[in-house]
């Protein structure tokens, strides 16, 4: 009999009294993906599925908090049965030259301790498979034996997404553009368990409907990991026009960024969120200098998460390819940031100057109007 | 849909009600394979025969000279690749449709020699240039009848006469996708060898078109198989599409004469009223060298794409004459630079393209919308 063994992050198991909540959320998130018809059994640090398909394996791997999955043989609680399964598994993998056996004994009533089990099973493997050797330091294959209430043997483990179960670390508002960075930032924070509400700034008629479609497609890609997501589409045209009309050209970008972050904060408050997430990477463009970040941050009172701040563009692109947002991000539709750029934006804005410049704008009025007119899309 | 103002008819057209009915009826009743031996097959074949007669009639061809294709691009590809063989020289122009230009570029990579004729500021090729380009091994001249961006009408009559006098082996292909149903075409008088047509530009279904192949001319087929369409284009026929195309051809053939004055007046009125707006440039004036269905206008220092989206708010649909973003290099406009338009005008080019059902009222409504939009867009520097 086979079961799907799901390993989850040790961070979850260390949560003390909250552990149950974390595990229950993980199970709920897995259920949301694979449906309710599968029986999920809970053991310390492990979940087990009695029945599963290849599609289920793929889905479970993408649930945040799952660090790995393995198809395990459930065997009788005796050395012969354990060894038989181990030999079968090793034989099914072509050209294995080295292995080791690693045993966890949860059931302390079992006669042998974990080292003795490993030694015995290893010996039987050596006797049954010619030309195979033990290598305890760098084996090609690790045969895992887990003796718990039931006894499991597995040799092939597939990596999961890791991280923390979605929605176990609070909520944040992601400033989502059509670019490469912001979806990656959203993914990284969601992977740490943060629930995401996304905001997209639309500048009709300066940006096309296709740019908005592209952002919806990006959100849909993120939803493959998170299950669902709320997307605010905020019309930004009027704000941009006011800034362009009344402020200095080289301050357009920084003032726009301050508006975007401030709107993000207001939506966060409305949504019961406590953080803002952006895809900024230090020094990537003019608005992402430390001075710019300082001036943007000054306007709001909640943490701004910038998970990409210390990443190189090339590494960000690697993640975006891995999570499937890259191909969408590189479609050539402009967003509001690429249309409204000064030739030489200030790279070292001073807070005192920007505050002075903003005085001519009815900031609160513009922001309230933008938020009240926002279109809210439930992405599933 | 009532207050929709559709001025993007050179991109595609709204199908005629009769076409929709025909397509539906064909799908419901004439689903037989035209190659089948039984009654259903014969009924389906009869449908295609009728459509072939209708399309042939529109351009003065005999039905046997019409091959149904998947559209203009396939017609263009078949005409070029089906005709030429190693060592041939081809002449074309710089403002052809991508389905010609990309095909020719690929052939150049294979070693074929291609001459691309320049166009003047009206978008017209020069007959003297053509004359001096024709060589002993010139096998094909492929030129569009009407340019899709600015509506220039190429001198196809003169082109063909010139070619005939110089090289008897040279064949002429005309891409008539934009002129069909707008300019009276008679392939016999024109003495053309090959001509591409498209259904969806004349209110027919998409995914269907035709290639006129002069009797006696043999083309290699690009798609081999069951030998349909006189062995030029294998594959079970797109019967609903083809039959719908036939209906569209018949309807537009009747309108071609009767509606000519209306469309002339529409463009005239539009241009007159456009002069009420500052800083514009008409890239396709009303003269004998430009078709009345296309009006290409530049709005100085405005991004065409932004204007396009702003017009959407008024339920007015147009095309930009220029690529909106530099990143989209494969869609970069090459026609407007070819006629010598300045960059600040290329950015802000809009193409209004009309069908026979557009009205003067729609033009007036559009002018009002343009005035409102431009006063908004022009209040700032961007």
């Amino acid at each position: 009999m086979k079961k799907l063994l799901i390993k989850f992050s040790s961070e979850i198991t260390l949560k003390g009294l909250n552990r149950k909540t974390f595990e229950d959320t993980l199970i709920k998130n897995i259920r949301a993906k694979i449906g309710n018809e599968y029986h999920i059994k809970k053991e310390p640090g492990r979940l087990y599925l009695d029945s599963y398909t290849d599609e289920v394996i793929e889905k479970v791997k993408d649930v945040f908090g799952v660090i790995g999955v393995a198809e395990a043989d459930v065997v009788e609680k005796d050395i012969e049965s354990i060894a038989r399964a181990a030999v079968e598994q090793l034989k099914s993998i072509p050209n294995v030259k080295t292995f080791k056996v690693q045993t966890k004994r949860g059931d302390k009533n079992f006669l042998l301790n974990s080292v003795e089990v490993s030694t015995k099973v290893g010996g039987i493997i050596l006797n049954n498979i010619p030309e195979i050797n033990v290598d305890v330091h760098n084996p090609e294959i690790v045969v895992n034996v887990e003796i718990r209430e039931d006894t499991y043997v597995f040799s092939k483990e597939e990596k999961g997404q890791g991280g923390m179960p979605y929605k176990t670390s609070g909520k944040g508002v992601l400033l989502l553009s059509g670019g490469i960075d912001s979806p990656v930032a959203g993914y990284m924070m969601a992977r740490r368990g943060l629930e995401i509400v996304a905001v997209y700034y639309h500048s009709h008629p300066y940006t096309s409907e296709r740019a908005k479609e592209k952002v919806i497609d990006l959100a849909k890609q993120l939803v493959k990991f998170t299950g669902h997501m709320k997307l605010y589409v905020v019309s930004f045209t009027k704000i941009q026009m006011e800034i362009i009309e009344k402020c200095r050209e080289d301050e357009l970008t920084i003032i726009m960024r301050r508006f975007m972050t401030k709107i993000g904060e207001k939506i966060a408050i409305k949504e019961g969120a406590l953080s803002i997430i952006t895809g900024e990477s230090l020094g990537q463009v003019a608005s992402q200098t430390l001075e710019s970040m300082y001036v943007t941050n000054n306007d709001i009172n909640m943490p701004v998460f910038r998970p990409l701040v210390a990443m190189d563009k090339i590494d960000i692109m690697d993640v975006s390819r891995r999570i499937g947002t890259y191909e969408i991000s590189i479609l050539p539709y402009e967003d509001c940031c690429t249309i409204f750029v000064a030739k030489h934006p200030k790279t070292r804005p001073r807070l005192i100057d920007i505050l002075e410049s903003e005085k001519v704008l009815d900031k609160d009025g513009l922001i309230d109007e933008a938020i009240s007119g926002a279109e809210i899309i439930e992405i599933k | 849909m009532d207050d929709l103002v559709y001025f993007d008819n050179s991109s595609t057209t709204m199908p005629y009600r009769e076409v929709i009915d025909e397509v539906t009826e064909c799908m419901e009743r004439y689903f037989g394979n035209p190659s089948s031996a039984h009654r259903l097959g014969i009924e389906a074949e009869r449908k295609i025969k009728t459509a072939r007669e209708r399309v042939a009639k529109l351009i003065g061809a005999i039905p046997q000279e019409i091959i149904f294709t998947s559209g203009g691009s396939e017609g263009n590809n078949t005409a070029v690749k089906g005709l030429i063989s190693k060592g041939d020289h081809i002449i074309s122009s710089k403002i052809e449709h991508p389905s010609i230009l990309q095909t020719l570029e690929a052939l150049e990579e294979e070693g074929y020699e291609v001459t691309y004729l320049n166009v003047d500021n009206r978008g017209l090729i020069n007959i003297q240039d053509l004359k001096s380009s024709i060589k002993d091994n010139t096998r094909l001249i492929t030129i569009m009848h009407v340019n899709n961006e600015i509506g220039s009408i190429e001198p196809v009559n003169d082109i063909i006469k010139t070619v005939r006098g110089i090289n008897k082996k040279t064949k002429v292909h005309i891409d008539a996708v934009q002129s069909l149903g707008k300019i009276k075409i008679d392939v016999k008088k024109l003495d053309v060898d090959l001509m591409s047509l498209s259904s969806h530009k004349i209110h027919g279904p998409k995914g269907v078109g035709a290639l006129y192949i002069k009797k006696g001319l043999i083309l290699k087929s690009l798609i081999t198989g069951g030998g349909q369409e006189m062995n030029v284009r294998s594959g079970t026929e797109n019967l609903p599409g083809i039959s719908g195309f036939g209906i569209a051809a018949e309807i537009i053939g009747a309108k071609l004469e009767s509606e000519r004055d209306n469309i002339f007046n529409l463009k005239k009125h539009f241009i007159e009223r456009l002069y009420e707006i500052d800083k514009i440039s008409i890239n396709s004036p009303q003269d004998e060298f430009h078709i009345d269905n296309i009006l290409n206008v530049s709005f100085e220092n405005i991004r065409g794409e932004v204007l396009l989206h702003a017009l959407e708010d008024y339920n007015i649909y147009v095309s930009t004459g220029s690529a909106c973003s530099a990143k989209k290099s494969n869609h970069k406009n090459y026609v407007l630079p070819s006629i010598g338009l300045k960059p600040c005008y290329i950015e802000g080019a809009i193409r209004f393209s009309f069908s026979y059902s557009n009205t003067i009222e729609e033009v007036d409504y559009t002018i009002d919308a343009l005035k409102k939009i431009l006063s908004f867009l022009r209040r700032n520097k961007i």
Side-chain angles (χ1 to χ4, degrees):
Chain A
M1 181 184 153
K2 275 190 185 296
K3 283 192 183 184
L4 187 69
L5 181 152
I6 303 167
K7 284 187 179 178
F8 51 86
S9 169
S10 56
E11 290 178 76
I12 300 175
T13 55
L14 292 174
K15 288 288 170 192
L17 290 176
N18 286 332
R19 197 176 84 185
K20 195 179 176 311
T21 323
F22 278 75
E23 289 177 356
D24 289 348
T25 307
L26 178 64
I27 291 172
K28 210 172 116 193
N29 293 348
I30 291 173
R31 284 217 183 283
K33 278 222 168 163
I34 65 173
N36 286 325
E37 64 268 33
Y38 297 93
H39 177 249
I40 301 177
K41 187 183 167 190
K42 200 162 87 171
E43 273 188 36
R46 295 280 186 274
L47 298 174
Y48 300 94
L49 280 184
D50 289 348
S51 61
Y52 54 90
T53 62
D54 286 350
E55 201 190 334
V56 165
I57 298 177
E58 288 309 311
K59 284 181 174 170
V60 170
K61 272 161 63 185
D62 275 349
V63 175
F64 293 139
V66 172
I67 55 171
V69 296
E71 292 184 71
D73 282 309
V74 184
V75 298
E76 293 294 313
K77 207 176 276 186
D78 59 66
I79 287 293
E80 289 71 29
S81 303
I82 294 169
R84 200 180 308 125
V87 169
E88 293 264 309
Q89 288 180 10
L90 280 174
K91 278 185 172 169
S92 73
I93 309 167
N95 302 321
V96 185
K97 295 198 176 55
T98 58
F99 77 99
K100 80 166 179 182
V101 180
Q102 187 170 289
T103 306
K104 280 191 182 140
R105 190 183 56 138
D107 176 3
K108 300 298 177 194
N109 294 323
F110 194 70
L111 289 173
L112 304 169
N113 69 24
S114 55
V115 177
E116 290 165 337
V117 172
S118 295
T119 313
K120 287 224 166 196
V121 173
I124 298 174
I125 291 172
L126 288 170
N127 287 335
N128 280 278
I129 305 179
E131 288 163 33
I132 199 165
N133 289 305
V134 175
D135 182 345
V136 288
H137 300 296
N138 201 14
E140 284 172 33
I141 300 289
V142 177
V143 177
N144 292 278
V145 178
E146 297 194 357
I147 302 164
R148 299 168 183 256
E149 193 184 322
D150 288 322
T151 303
Y152 306 92
V153 182
F154 60 96
S155 320
K156 278 185 282 187
E157 192 181 324
E158 293 181 70
K159 264 182 86 111
Q161 288 288 334
M164 302 282 276
Y166 190 60
K167 286 190 184 179
T168 54
S169 311
K171 204 193 264 192
V173 166
L174 169 70
L175 307 189
L176 183 64
S177 74
I180 290 170
D181 301 340
S182 54
V184 174
Y187 161 82
M188 287 177 75
M189 292 317 297
R191 191 173 162 275
R192 284 307 297 173
L194 190 73
E195 185 181 352
I196 305 284
V197 174
V199 180
Y200 164 63
Y201 296 105
H202 192 50
S203 298
H204 176 82
Y206 294 94
T207 49
S208 88
E209 235 7 62
R210 288 200 174 99
K212 179 173 142 189
E213 283 299 311
K214 175 180 162 183
V215 170
I216 292 172
D217 287 344
L218 284 170
K220 279 187 184 156
Q221 189 60 29
L222 290 177
V223 158
K224 289 192 180 154
F225 300 103
T226 63
H228 66 92
M229 189 190 285
K230 208 185 243 188
L231 172 68
Y232 279 72
V233 178
V234 177
S235 173
F236 208 57
T237 314
K238 189 167 177 194
I239 293 172
Q240 281 172 312
M241 297 312 267
E242 286 278 314
I243 301 173
I244 289 165
E245 209 168 329
K246 296 176 178 163
C247 301
R248 287 167 51 133
E249 199 195 348
D250 61 355
E251 291 176 353
L252 292 182
T253 310
I254 184 70
I255 295 176
M256 259 168 52
R257 295 293 303 187
R258 277 169 60 87
F259 266 91
M260 288 175 172
T261 321
K262 192 74 196 170
I263 291 172
E265 186 187 50
K266 290 222 169 169
I267 290 174
I269 292 166
K270 198 176 138 197
E271 289 286 330
L274 290 176
S275 63
I276 305 286
I277 308 142
T278 79
E280 288 161 303
S281 171
L282 189 62
Q284 198 189 81
V285 291
S287 63
Q288 299 181 17
T289 60
L290 182 56
E291 288 81 355
S292 296
M293 288 183 197
Y294 178 84
V295 173
T296 325
N297 260 53
N298 182 270
D299 209 13
I300 58 169
N301 292 307
M302 51 177 70
V304 179
F305 293 138
R306 297 182 173 90
L308 315 185
V309 76
M311 280 174 79
D312 293 350
K313 187 78 186 184
I314 194 156
D315 299 324
I316 299 170
M317 281 158 67
D318 279 347
V319 182
S320 90
R321 284 196 189 92
R322 187 162 56 75
I323 64 173
T325 54
Y326 182 78
E327 294 301 324
I328 307 168
S329 290
I330 58 170
L331 292 172
Y333 308 114
E334 297 174 274
D335 59 45
C336 56
C337 300
T338 53
I339 285 196
F340 293 89
V341 281
K343 280 203 183 71
H344 301 289
K346 272 194 182 169
T347 52
R348 304 191 188 291
R350 292 199 316 162
L351 182 59
I352 183 170
D353 298 338
I354 301 300
L355 291 177
E356 189 58 35
S357 303
E358 275 184 3
K359 277 187 183 159
V360 295
L361 303 167
D362 171 20
K363 198 163 176 178
D364 290 337
L366 285 167
I367 286 176
D368 289 343
E369 189 186 333
I371 292 175
S372 64
E375 177 190 2
I376 301 171
I377 305 172
E378 290 286 344
I379 311 277
K380 277 181 187 149
Chain B
M1 292 286 271
D2 272 340
D3 40 2
L4 174 107
V5 178
Y6 188 72
F7 282 156
D8 198 15
N9 290 283
S10 291
S11 295
T12 192
T13 52
M14 199 188 290
Y16 289 133
R17 183 73 250 166
E18 295 88 331
V19 168
I20 298 171
D21 292 343
E22 176 69 17
V23 170
T24 311
E25 199 195 346
C26 283
M27 296 192 83
E28 281 170 358
R29 290 188 47 200
Y30 299 97
F31 58 87
N33 189 324
S35 301
S36 291
H38 47 64
R39 185 175 54 81
L40 294 179
I42 292 162
E43 281 173 5
E45 194 186 18
R46 197 178 297 139
K47 276 276 173 197
I48 291 183
K49 191 173 163 229
T50 309
R52 205 183 302 280
E53 286 162 3
R54 286 171 171 155
V55 173
K57 190 176 167 218
L58 183 59
I59 59 167
I62 55 172
Q64 291 75 12
E65 295 172 313
I66 299 295
I67 296 300
F68 286 113
T69 65
S70 66
S73 291
E74 189 191 322
N76 284 346
N77 270 265
T78 308
V80 175
K81 293 187 220 166
L83 183 74
I84 55 151
S85 47
K86 279 275 175 280
D88 286 347
H89 171 236
I90 306 161
I91 300 174
S92 188
S93 88
K94 288 196 171 152
I95 60 167
E96 296 302 306
H97 188 265
S99 59
I100 286 290
L101 290 180
Q102 298 290 322
T103 303
L104 294 179
E105 272 171 38
L107 289 172
E108 278 184 289
E109 275 170 30
E110 285 176 33
Y112 286 90
E113 191 196 349
V114 182
T115 304
Y116 300 94
L117 300 173
N118 282 316
V119 293
D120 62 17
N121 61 4
R122 299 165 301 185
L124 304 182
I125 66 145
N126 180 296
I127 293 292
Q128 285 308 319
D129 283 356
L130 172 68
K131 248 184 201 168
S132 52
S133 303
I134 300 173
K135 306 202 267 187
D136 283 348
N137 64 336
T138 304
R139 176 64 171 149
L140 175 68
I141 294 177
T142 172
I143 296 285
M144 60 185 5
H145 193 184
V146 166
N147 177 268
N148 50 314
E149 298 282 350
I150 39 180
S152 321
I153 306 169
E154 298 299 334
V156 286
N157 254 315
D158 294 349
I159 292 170
I160 294 167
K161 278 199 192 97
T162 306
V163 174
R164 299 293 182 237
I166 298 175
N167 189 336
K168 295 271 179 264
K169 282 181 292 186
T170 309
K171 303 296 175 194
V172 180
H173 166 246
I174 302 292
D175 172 358
V177 166
Q178 291 294 345
S179 58
L180 186 68
K182 285 135 199 162
I183 297 175
K184 181 84 191 132
I185 295 172
D186 186 328
V187 288
K188 294 301 159 202
K189 275 190 197 144
L190 199 56
D191 190 29
V192 65
D193 299 295
L194 295 153
M195 182 178 275
S196 305
L197 312 173
S198 168
S199 151
H200 75 103
K201 309 279 192 198
I202 61 162
H203 308 272
K206 290 166 183 60
V208 59
L211 180 64
Y212 160 80
I213 307 173
K214 190 197 250 179
K215 205 174 169 191
L217 187 59
I218 309 284
L219 293 189
K220 287 180 294 238
S221 50
L222 307 188
I223 300 172
T224 46
Q228 289 89 344
E229 295 300 294
M230 293 153 237
N231 239 336
V232 177
R233 207 275 188 181
S234 285
T236 298
E237 298 86 341
N238 168 10
L239 186 131
I242 289 170
S243 201
F245 184 17
I247 297 288
E250 190 167 76
I251 297 174
I252 205 137
K255 292 195 182 197
L256 185 52
E257 295 294 330
S258 64
E259 302 280 331
R260 182 175 291 171
D261 287 350
N262 292 341
I263 209 97
F264 176 88
N265 290 331
L266 196 76
K267 182 168 177 178
K268 184 162 171 277
H269 183 73
F270 209 141
I271 291 177
E272 278 167 10
R273 294 223 52 201
L274 275 170
Y275 281 116
E276 295 169 19
I277 296 170
D278 284 344
K279 290 187 275 185
I280 59 145
S281 157
I282 308 282
N283 304 321
S284 57
Q286 192 159 42
D287 57 25
E288 59 191 296
F289 307 113
H290 296 88
I291 198 165
D292 287 330
N293 297 75
I294 292 179
L295 174 54
N296 190 305
V297 192
S298 286
F299 298 85
E300 195 184 320
N301 291 328
I302 294 286
R303 283 166 187 261
E305 198 202 357
V306 172
L307 191 49
L308 176 148
H309 294 314
L311 283 166
E312 277 182 75
D313 290 346
Y314 293 86
N315 221 1
I316 299 167
Y317 297 88
V318 300
S319 271
T320 50
S322 130
C324 44
S325 114
K327 285 177 265 175
K328 241 167 144 180
S329 54
N330 52 334
H331 291 119
K332 216 168 167 68
N333 191 289
Y334 49 90
V335 176
L336 298 175
S338 290
I339 62 164
L341 209 60
K342 281 191 238 148
C344 70
Y345 283 112
I346 291 172
E347 272 257 296
I350 291 281
R351 181 188 68 186
F352 300 93
S353 49
F354 315 122
S355 78
Y356 295 130
S357 52
N358 288 128
T359 62
I360 297 277
E361 289 71 32
E362 289 174 338
V363 171
D364 287 333
Y365 172 75
T366 303
I367 294 287
D368 289 345
L370 279 170
K371 285 179 179 171
K372 282 181 212 156
I373 293 165
L374 288 167
S375 72
F376 172 77
L377 293 181
R378 280 183 166 155
R379 76 192 171 125
N380 287 310
K381 45 200 175 280
I382 294 182

